[in-house]
Amino acid sequence: QQPVQSPQAVILREGEDAVINCSSSKALYSVHWYRQKHGEAPVFLMILLKGGEQKGHEKISASFNEKKQQSSLYLTASQLSYSGTYFCGTPPRGAGSYQLTFGKGTKLSVIP
Amino acid sequence: NAGVTQTPKFQVLKTGQSMTLQCAQDMNHEYMSWYRQDPGMGLRLIHYSVGAGITDQGEVPNGYNVSRSTTEDFPLRLLSAAPSQTSVYFCASSYLQSISYNEQFFGPGTRLTVL
């Protein structure tokens, strides 16, 4: 079942903060975050695992609330380069799953 | 390393035609997958493979075939193209350990239009 992302779109001025949420009706084992710039491929941001472990390449802050079955991505002091569509993905069958189900995305636009 | 490569970048087909979208990776990843992306729908998994000779269906497999004869290549075949298959197709690869735990590397995509 597809995770639900909110908001669908957000417009920020440079330097402002934003929070993107990803929630699931099923228990979450992990949440994956990707960013896709217009006309490009999705690029990995981070994975948050049950138990608190995080794995990522960028200095992006995120949280994973197992009880609420929700993850949030925190974009602080936004830069123009943060613009793009953010997707969260979750393994539908938990640990050992070979599939990811992605949300519909949150479009973030950062303006000068 | 080239990473994940896809060909062609753009393709226009007529209804009923068949074609193969190519995907290759040079990172020795066991796991490879195909997604389609439609406006407002996110990324939907078509097929995936956990190694040479092993493939399985994802969320939206109908109308598509795959095979995996080598670790490097994972072609996607459209048997009889339909307008509903107009989409952007992304190939991705990852280390197998567990897709739940590992990042996927995406190719640049193939934009397919079926008339």
Side-chain angles (χ1 to χ4, degrees), chain A residues 92-111:
Chain A
R93 299 188 186 91
S97 178
Y98 293 119
Q99 299 188 41
L100 278 185
T101 302
F102 285 92
K104 294 183 178 181
T106 295
K107 185 175 181 180
L108 175 69
S109 301
V110 181
I111 58 176

Side-chain angles (χ1 to χ4, degrees), chain A residues 1-4 23-28 68-69:
Chain A
Q1 193 160 357
Q2 195 173 31
V4 177
S23 63
S24 174
S25 59
K26 298 172 67 173
L28 292 176
K68 290 186 177 179
Q69 296 168 188

Side-chain angles (χ1 to χ4, degrees), chain A residues 2 29-30 32 34 36 41-42 44 47 49 53 55 57 87 91 94 96-100 102-104, chain B residues 31 35 37 40-43 45 48 50 57-59 90 96 98-104 106-108:
Chain A
Q2 195 173 31
Y29 171 77
S30 64
H32 302 224
Y34 286 79
Q36 183 180 31
F44 171 77
I47 297 173
L49 292 161
E53 185 179 353
K55 183 178 177 183
H57 294 297
F87 294 98
S97 178
Y98 293 119
Q99 299 188 41
L100 278 185
F102 285 92
K104 294 183 178 181
Chain B
Y31 181 92
Y35 292 89
Q37 185 174 37
M41 295 295 293
L43 295 154
L45 183 66
Y48 65 94
V50 298
Q57 297 180 351
E59 300 172 62
F90 288 101
L96 179 60
S98 167
I99 194 61
S100 304
Y101 188 72
N102 284 302
E103 65 180 285
Q104 293 191 72
F106 284 82

Side-chain angles (χ1 to χ4, degrees), chain A residues 38-59:
Chain A
H38 182 69
E40 299 181 6
V43 174
F44 171 77
L45 294 177
M46 67 188 317
I47 297 173
L48 298 105
L49 292 161
K50 192 174 179 179
E53 185 179 353
Q54 295 188 6
K55 183 178 177 183
H57 294 297
E58 293 197 20
K59 293 180 180 179

Side-chain angles (χ1 to χ4, degrees), chain B residues 84-102:
Chain B
S84 60
Q85 293 179 304
T86 293
S87 188
V88 180
Y89 291 85
F90 288 101
C91 178
S93 71
S94 176
Y95 290 108
L96 179 60
Q97 180 189 351
S98 167
I99 194 61
S100 304
Y101 188 72
N102 284 302

